[in-house]
């Protein structure tokens, strides 16, 4: 039974208007293994899994589940075949309890709910796989890691034996990720097939048994974990060798650009989002902010860019008090912002590239009077597109037609074009391929070297350690500590991210 | 057979034109069913409707007369719609504009025409603007749903106008009819030749041109476009959304106010009960059909004006004019449904061979 083939996808091809997302892809997953699906964003991993879960229909190709050919008409058919997927964005109902969420959509339950029995089953599953959840807790009360466990329990409850996880570690701390890997291993050991979608090579080496690499919609290779290494995987993913460019860190005299004094702010729910933040960002440095998503990063960036009002404290820019000023003043003072939600906040999807560049230009010196002057902005857009190698059909077509990487390049180009004093970059490389990631990172470094301050929010500790001059860790809206990248370790940061400050009790300022 | 929707990369230009045309045809078709059920010959009725509105010079000029308030109010609501502000209060804003203009005409009958008309215009705009601003403030600062508040304010405005014409402003020589005394000649908008087409047409055209330039070429218009498309991006770019909500609703209401002013000053010559046959509501359909574009708004207003004129004509055949309201509703219904065709491709595949499992096992 150890080598029974659970999933076999042969010659899968899927076209969307304008792109071929999957081209002749083959995948084979065995019972009892953790199979990683590795590839850059846009390599076709999600499309392939959406086909496997019945969300999309392949144009060509055949799927076999446990040896039988299948033809899924809807996700319901896939679920019936024992396939369960844990999406990156959880599909949970906040006000309901864990148990209620687990039975949601399960077809086996009768009209009357036998709560005691359901709870008991959940507890059994929890115990067997080390997934600690309280069936009676409400979803909104749970942390992201706990919610993920509920998603897994939900799928196990349905009796799925083929589990797919989409970028499961994106929202987890290093410790939580390790726990997750242990759980996944237990599931594989019990004869289930586990598929993990990821673009992190280290993760593949940490937990997978085998890995299938996708590149530009094609399956490139399937390898045994033990017979490969990071370099080979990277090369397969990108198609060429990657230059590791470690930039030197230049020491600067600390001249503060922005200073936050005793800041408190509320989050969107009206609860304390930031508590007693004291922070200074200097010219010519990158300040990295580590933390699990949702611990005040968004609130911090919005305070610094003037988008969120504060309930206590002062904001100083170049020594001048900006407390209570509208966002417009922050922009005029040279605060640039690369937001997390690029297409929702940083760019307007239905407007053209020119109109989107205009977004940060229409109030500057070049635009006097009531009327808009498009000519200079057009020219600037053309220059940006060329300099940053942005691929688009026309600078007059809506930006929603552009790919994620090109959107981010255009956004960054615009934010840098204003000669900012400070750039607040939130997850700047999320979803970008390796090439684009490298160019975004070197742009941020170039800005730092030119004397701008950079606030870098990232979920990737490697990136933070690599780029930052100083690192702070946010936990529940508080700064847990400041570290230097020279002597900070991932473990130390990981502990701070979970709010544990064991080995430096006395030093917290 | 399998039918599936595929999103288009860019909206289809062909469909942009075809959908409204086909919608009108479908609306006429469905309307015909009801006419047949009522024992009428739909071809006769439609011939009457169209010929009376668009083939005689009287019909044509009357269609333009009806188009004036539709266009002014339509421009107003289209501006609000651009910012995703669902102002369905044009009817009330129109009435308030009419009331304010009437107040000027009745209070200062001695004013010469050159002062009287601009003064009435200004007050008409101002009153409509206030009526638009009233729901805008709670919308901007407390997120109170403007759809409900603008709608409810319609009834307030209409009842307020009714109170005036039934009470303090009632014409003492009007045989107890709910209307004010006739305005002095100086308060009447000049009209074109023998027709009832009045200066309001010029107001509407100027308003359309100004709005077109404002939206497309000014900083403020750019802000309106960005806020309408994405409030989050607008805030991110430092735009003051609250201020713009108030400003847009103010102008939106003001334009409907001018429609009311030109109705009392150009057509009725007085304020009266039932001044508007629902221009403010029809304007919503007009704005939507014209895709909020000022130029196409003029055309659609004219067609809908004609529909109203034709509606009066078919009453002579013993058919309720309400059939016209039904047609308006049907047209909007089909246009909204048809919009899916502009944004999506519909794929119909008769066979789905490639997806059936093959023999391999």
């Amino acid at each position: 039974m150890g080598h029974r083939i659970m999933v076999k996808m042969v010659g899968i091809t899927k076209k969307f208007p304008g792109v071929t997302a999957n081209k002749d892809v083959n995948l084979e997953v065995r019972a009892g293994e953790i199979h990683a699906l590795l590839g850059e964003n846009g390599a076709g991993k999600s499309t392939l899994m959406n086909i496997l879960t019945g969300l999309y229909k392949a144009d060509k190709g055949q799927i076999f589940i446990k040896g039988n050919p299948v033809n899924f008409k809807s996700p319901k058919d896939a679920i019936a075949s024992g396939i369960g997927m844990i999406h990156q964005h959880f599909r949970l109902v906040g006000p309901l309890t864990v148990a209620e969420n687990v039975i949601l959509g399960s077809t086996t339950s009768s009209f009357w709910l036998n709560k005691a029995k359901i709870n008991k089953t959940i507890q059994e599953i929890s115990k067997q796989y080390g997934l600690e959840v309280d069936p009676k807790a409400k979803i909104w009360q749970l942390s992201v890691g706990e919610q993920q466990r509920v998603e897994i329990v939900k799928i196990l409850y349905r009796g799925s034996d083929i589990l797919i996880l989409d970028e499961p570690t994106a929202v987890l701390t290093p410790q939580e990720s390790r726990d997750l890997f242990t759980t996944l291993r237990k599931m594989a050991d019990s004869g289930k097939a586990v598929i993990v979608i990821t673009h992190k090579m280290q993760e593949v080496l940490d937990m997978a048994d085998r890995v299938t690499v996708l590149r530009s919609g094609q399956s490139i290779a399937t390898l045994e974990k033990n017979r490969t290494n990071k370099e080979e995987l990277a090369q397969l993913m990108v198609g060429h060798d990657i230059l590791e460019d470690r930039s030197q860190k230049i020491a600067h005299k600390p001249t503060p650009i922005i200073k936050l004094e005793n800041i408190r702010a509320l989050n969107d729910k009206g609860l304390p989002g930031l508590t007693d933040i004291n922070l200074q960002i200097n010219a010519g440095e990158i300040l990295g902010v580590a933390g699990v998503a949702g611990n005040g990063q968004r609130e911090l960036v919005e305070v610094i860019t003037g988008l969120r009002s504060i309930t206590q404290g002062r904001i100083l820019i170049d020594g001048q008090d900006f407390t209570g000023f509208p966002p417009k003043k922050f922009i005029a003072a040279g605060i640039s912002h690369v937001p997390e939600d690029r297409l929702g906040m940083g760019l307007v999807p239905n407007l053209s590239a020119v109109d989107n560049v205009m977004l940060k230009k229409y109030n500057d010196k070049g635009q006097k009077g009531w009327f808009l002057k498009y000519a200079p902005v057009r020219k600037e857009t053309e220059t940006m597109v060329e300099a940053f190698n942005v691929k688009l059909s026309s600078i007059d077509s809506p930006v929603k037609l552009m790919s994620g990487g090109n959107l981010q390049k255009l956004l960054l180009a615009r934010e840098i074009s204003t000669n900012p004093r400070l750039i607040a970059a939130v997850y700047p490389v999320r979803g970008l391929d390796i090439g684009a990631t490298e160019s975004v990172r070197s742009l941020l470094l170039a800005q730092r070297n030119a004397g701008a301050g950079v606030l870098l929010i990232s979920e990737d500790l490697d990136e933070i350690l690599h780029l930052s001059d100083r690192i702070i860790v946010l936990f529940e809206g508080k700064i847990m500590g400041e570290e230097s990248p020279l002597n900070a370790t991932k473990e130390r940061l990981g502990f701070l991210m979970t709010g544990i400050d064991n080995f430096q009790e006395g030093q917290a300022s | 057979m399998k039918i599936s929707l595929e999103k288009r990369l860019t909206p289809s230009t062909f469909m942009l034109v075809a959908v409204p045309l086909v919608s009108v045809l479908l609306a006429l078709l469905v309307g015909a069913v009801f006419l047949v059920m009522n024992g009428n010959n739909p071809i006769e009725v439609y011939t009457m409707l169209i010929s009376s509105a668009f083939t005689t010079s009287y019909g044509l000029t009357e269609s333009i007369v009806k188009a004036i308030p539709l266009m002014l109010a339509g421009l107003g609501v289209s501006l609000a719609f651009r910012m995703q502000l669902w102002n369905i209060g044009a009817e009330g804003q129109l009435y308030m504009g009419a009331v304010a203009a009437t107040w000027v005409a009745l209070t200062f009958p001695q004013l010469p025409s050159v002062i009287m008309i601009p003064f009435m215009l200004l007050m008409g705009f101002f009153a409509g603007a206030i009526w638009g601003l009233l729901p805008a403030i709670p919308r901007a600062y407390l997120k109170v749903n403007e759809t409900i508040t603008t709608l409810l304010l319609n009834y307030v405005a209409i009842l307020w106008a009714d109170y005036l014409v039934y009470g303090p402003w009632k014409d003492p020589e009007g045989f107890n009819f709910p209307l004010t005394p006739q305005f002095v000649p100086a308060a009447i908008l000049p009209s074109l030749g023998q027709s009832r087409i009045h200066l309001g047409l010029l107001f509407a055209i100027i308003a359309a041109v100004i709005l077109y330039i404002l939206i497309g070429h000014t900083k403020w218009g750019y802000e309106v476009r960005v806020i309408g498309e994405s409030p989050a991006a607008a805030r991110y770019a430092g735009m003051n959304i609250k201020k713009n909500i108030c400003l847009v609703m103010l102008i939106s209401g003001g334009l409907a106010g001018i429609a009311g002013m030109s109705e009392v000053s150009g057509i009725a010559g007085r304020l009266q009960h039932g001044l508007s046959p629902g221009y403010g509501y029809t304007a919503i359909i007009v704005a939507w059909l014209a895709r909020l574009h000022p130029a196409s708004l003029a055309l659609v207003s004219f067609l809908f004006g004609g529909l109203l004129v034709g509606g009066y004509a078919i009453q002579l055949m013993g058919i309720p004019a309400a059939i016209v309201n039904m047609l308006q509703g049907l047209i909007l219904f089909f246009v909204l449904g048809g919009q899916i065709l502009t944004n999506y491709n519909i794929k119909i595949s008769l066979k789905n061979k490639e997806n059936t499992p093959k023999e391999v096992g």
Side-chain angles (χ1 to χ4, degrees):
Chain A
M1 155 121 181
H3 276 284
R4 194 156 74 101
I5 291 162
M6 299 286 275
V7 177
K8 190 169 177 166
M9 298 177 87
V10 185
I12 302 289
T13 300
K14 175 74 185 170
K15 287 186 181 130
F16 290 110
V19 280
T20 304
N22 282 155
K23 195 179 161 195
D24 210 11
V25 173
N26 299 311
L27 177 72
E28 186 198 276
V29 185
R30 297 172 189 153
E33 77 166 343
I34 300 180
H35 196 109
L37 203 54
L38 180 71
E40 298 185 310
N41 281 79
K45 303 177 301 240
S46 298
T47 307
L48 188 66
M49 288 303 108
N50 282 331
I51 291 170
L52 183 55
T53 52
L55 218 51
Y56 294 158
K57 211 158 185 177
D59 297 333
K60 262 191 215 139
Q62 183 58 49
I63 304 173
F64 302 89
I65 302 295
K66 295 155 205 166
N68 305 314
V70 290
N71 180 21
F72 295 146
K73 290 198 177 62
S74 76
K76 233 184 192 161
D77 296 344
I79 291 169
S81 308
I83 297 172
M85 179 149 178
I86 292 137
H87 293 270
Q88 206 172 347
H89 300 284
F90 304 143
R91 316 270 154 104
L92 296 170
V93 186
L96 299 188
T97 65
V98 169
E100 283 163 338
N101 269 281
V102 167
I103 57 163
L104 210 64
S106 102
T107 44
T108 50
S109 53
S110 61
F111 181 74
W112 304 105
L113 294 177
N114 186 346
K115 279 193 180 167
K117 195 177 149 210
I118 294 164
N119 288 350
K120 203 174 149 236
T121 316
I122 292 175
Q123 273 156 356
E124 276 165 15
I125 294 170
S126 302
K127 216 165 139 196
Q128 187 182 350
Y129 297 104
L131 291 157
E132 207 178 298
V133 281
D134 172 11
K136 291 184 190 112
K138 297 258 198 292
I139 295 296
W140 62 268
Q141 298 168 319
L142 305 181
S143 74
V144 181
E146 287 170 311
Q147 291 186 17
Q148 190 178 52
R149 291 205 282 273
V150 178
E151 283 279 19
I152 298 175
V153 170
K154 189 164 109 184
I155 279 170
L156 293 172
Y157 183 87
R158 286 180 189 166
S160 302
D161 47 12
I162 299 165
L163 289 102
I164 307 166
L165 295 99
D166 188 1
E167 303 275 359
T169 59
V171 289
L172 302 182
T173 62
Q175 284 85 350
E176 281 174 321
S177 299
R178 219 168 295 153
D179 292 343
L180 174 71
F181 295 157
T182 316
T183 303
L184 294 183
R185 180 52 65 197
K186 278 185 192 161
M187 296 198 295
D189 287 346
S190 72
K192 296 181 190 300
V194 180
I195 304 174
V196 179
I197 303 178
T198 181
H199 63 263
K200 294 178 185 157
M201 291 168 291
Q202 189 56 52
E203 240 172 65
V204 173
L205 299 173
D206 285 348
M207 56 145 188
D209 299 308
R210 289 196 306 157
V211 49
T212 295
V213 182
L214 289 187
R215 183 172 79 225
S216 350
Q218 286 171 291
S219 45
I220 300 298
T222 297
L223 304 163
E224 301 269 339
K225 189 260 306 273
N226 296 331
R227 291 190 204 151
T228 184
N229 55 46
K230 242 185 174 174
E231 285 68 34
E232 188 189 16
L233 289 176
Q235 209 247 335
L236 288 170
M237 253 168 92
V238 193
H240 55 79
D241 290 323
I242 301 149
L243 301 170
E244 272 280 293
D245 173 27
R246 297 250 160 208
S247 52
Q248 313 152 348
K249 299 208 160 58
I250 310 162
H252 282 273
K253 257 192 235 160
T255 40
I257 292 172
I258 195 166
K259 229 173 157 174
L260 305 184
E261 293 179 357
N262 289 315
I263 299 279
R264 277 170 188 257
L266 301 178
N267 62 18
D268 288 344
K269 288 181 188 153
L271 303 169
L274 289 176
T275 314
D276 299 327
I277 298 288
N278 283 293
L279 186 63
Q280 171 173 330
I281 304 169
N282 300 318
E285 76 166 358
I286 294 181
L287 177 69
V289 179
V292 178
N295 275 285
Q297 289 95 325
R298 212 174 106 212
E299 288 78 8
L300 179 65
V301 169
E302 290 187 356
V303 162
I304 285 174
T305 50
L307 291 172
R308 185 171 293 266
S309 51
I310 55 174
T311 54
Q312 183 196 296
R314 288 206 307 162
I315 305 170
L316 301 171
I317 297 176
D318 293 326
Q320 201 198 332
D321 195 341
F322 268 63
T323 316
F325 280 19
K328 212 170 168 172
K329 298 259 185 190
F330 283 73
I331 294 169
I335 309 290
S336 231
H337 182 190
V338 180
E340 175 180 5
D341 188 3
R342 292 158 206 166
L343 212 46
M345 189 186 227
L347 297 165
V348 187
N350 283 325
L351 295 187
S352 69
V354 179
D355 266 331
N356 269 292
V357 171
M358 185 64 97
L359 204 58
K360 283 289 179 80
K361 305 278 177 191
Y362 81 105
N363 261 327
D364 71 9
K365 283 175 226 128
Q367 301 278 344
K368 282 215 175 78
W370 283 38
F371 289 90
L372 287 175
K373 292 179 193 66
Y374 267 107
V377 178
R378 283 191 79 79
K379 203 176 263 171
E380 214 176 333
T381 309
E382 278 162 12
T383 324
M384 282 178 197
V385 166
E386 205 169 315
F388 291 84
N389 194 18
V390 182
K391 291 196 188 87
L392 39 65
S393 54
S394 149
I395 56 171
D396 292 309
S397 35
V399 295
K400 68 174 176 199
L401 301 178
M402 293 162 65
S403 77
N406 285 307
L407 283 171
Q408 183 71 328
K409 281 196 264 183
L410 182 71
L411 177 54
L412 256 164
R414 182 189 70 204
E415 291 307 303
I416 288 170
S417 71
T418 54
N419 290 322
R421 305 282 328 275
L422 179 95
I423 302 171
V426 188
Y427 307 122
V429 302
R430 186 190 271 176
L432 300 192
D433 58 39
I434 294 189
T437 299
E438 281 307 308
S439 59
V440 165
R441 285 180 182 161
S442 57
L443 277 173
L444 289 177
L445 282 170
Q447 285 295 307
R448 178 199 77 150
N449 295 341
V454 178
L455 179 80
L456 172 68
I457 296 198
S458 174
E459 58 207 0
D460 182 348
L461 287 181
D462 288 320
E463 176 178 65
I464 287 190
L465 286 164
H466 182 167
L467 294 178
S468 309
D469 298 291
R470 285 188 299 141
I471 299 169
I472 59 166
V473 182
L474 276 183
F475 174 73
E476 290 184 346
K478 293 191 199 85
I479 295 179
M480 288 302 293
E482 184 181 324
E483 300 281 322
S484 151
L486 299 175
N487 41 33
T489 61
K490 271 193 183 179
E491 275 59 42
R492 166 86 183 129
L493 292 177
F495 272 119
L496 290 172
M497 279 160 75
T498 46
I500 301 166
D501 193 9
N502 283 340
F503 39 102
Q504 276 194 349
E505 233 19 290
Q507 267 199 9
S509 54
Chain B
M1 197 180 82
K2 201 177 76 119
I3 301 171
S4 60
L5 288 179
E6 241 174 44
K7 204 163 167 54
R8 293 176 196 266
L9 289 177
T10 46
S12 149
T13 343
F14 170 72
M15 286 297 178
L16 281 178
V17 182
V19 165
L21 290 179
V22 174
S23 299
V24 172
L25 286 178
L26 284 173
L28 290 175
L29 216 64
V30 175
V33 172
F34 285 91
L35 284 170
V36 169
M37 278 163 61
N38 255 343
N40 299 101
N41 180 349
I43 297 176
E44 248 171 58
V45 174
Y46 287 150
T47 317
M48 181 72 176
L49 195 149
I50 292 165
S51 66
S52 60
F54 300 115
T55 59
T56 65
S57 69
Y58 172 77
L60 280 172
T61 57
E62 275 303 292
S63 298
I64 293 175
V65 167
K66 305 284 182 220
I68 294 170
L70 287 179
M71 190 171 157
L72 280 163
L75 287 168
V77 295
S78 70
L79 177 66
F81 287 0
R82 262 187 188 278
M83 256 185 54
Q84 317 257 359
L85 291 169
W86 307 115
N87 175 18
I88 51 173
E91 185 79 355
Q93 291 145 14
L94 181 147
Y95 266 96
M96 289 315 281
V99 165
T102 304
W103 173 78
V104 173
L106 296 181
T107 319
F108 310 100
Q110 70 290 354
L111 287 177
S113 182
V114 284
I115 299 176
M116 178 76 100
I117 299 291
F119 190 21
M120 286 170 75
L121 187 66
L122 191 76
M123 290 307 288
F125 179 88
F126 184 71
I130 296 287
W131 222 242
L133 184 63
L134 229 51
I137 295 168
R139 169 60 181 30
Y141 293 93
L142 301 166
K143 295 190 178 132
V144 176
N145 187 325
E146 77 282 2
T147 321
I148 310 284
T149 50
T150 51
L151 177 69
L152 291 180
L153 281 173
N154 283 343
Y155 302 111
V156 178
I158 294 168
L159 289 172
W160 175 239
D162 274 353
Y163 161 72
L164 291 170
V165 295
Y166 278 102
W169 287 1
K170 187 159 72 181
D171 185 1
E173 291 152 33
F175 305 104
N176 233 6
F177 280 110
L179 33 79
T180 68
Q182 184 76 33
F183 291 176
V184 293
I188 303 287
L189 283 175
S191 53
L192 195 72
Q194 294 298 307
S195 73
R196 294 209 298 162
I197 299 176
H198 51 81
L199 204 59
L201 180 62
L202 193 66
F203 299 162
I205 292 170
I206 293 175
V209 172
I210 292 180
L211 217 54
Y212 177 76
I213 294 172
L214 274 177
I215 294 289
H217 299 275
T218 66
K219 287 184 186 177
W220 179 70
Y222 178 73
E223 290 198 349
V224 169
R225 278 188 288 148
V226 172
I227 295 171
E229 287 288 346
S230 167
R235 239 171 74 72
Y236 160 82
M239 295 173 186
N240 189 335
I241 296 178
K242 293 182 173 119
K243 191 185 88 187
N244 275 316
I245 288 176
C246 294
L247 201 57
V248 158
M249 281 298 285
L250 192 142
I251 296 173
S252 176
L255 285 168
I258 293 178
M261 176 271 172
S262 67
E263 278 304 285
V264 290
S265 173
I267 299 293
R270 52 165 41 117
L271 182 64
Q272 58 192 31
H273 172 75
L275 175 77
S276 153
Y279 288 133
Y281 296 113
T282 308
I284 297 168
I285 306 179
V286 169
W288 206 252
L289 284 182
R291 303 190 151 259
L292 314 183
H293 193 280
S296 36
L297 225 146
L299 181 72
V300 179
S301 300
F302 173 66
L303 292 176
F304 269 70
L307 212 51
L308 283 173
V309 173
Y312 295 123
I314 59 169
Q315 282 186 66
L316 299 174
M317 302 172 73
I319 293 160
I323 186 88
V324 167
N325 295 336
M326 190 182 82
L327 285 178
Q328 285 181 0
L330 284 170
I331 294 174
L332 183 68
F333 179 80
F334 284 115
V335 167
L336 291 178
Q339 268 173 359
I340 201 161
L341 295 173
T342 32
N343 295 324
Y344 291 88
N345 266 322
I346 294 193
K347 261 196 161 178
I348 301 172
S349 50
L350 292 170
K351 45 195 175 175
N352 47 5
K353 241 197 243 152
E354 69 266 50
N355 288 319
T356 27
K358 282 175 199 144
E359 67 294 339
V360 209

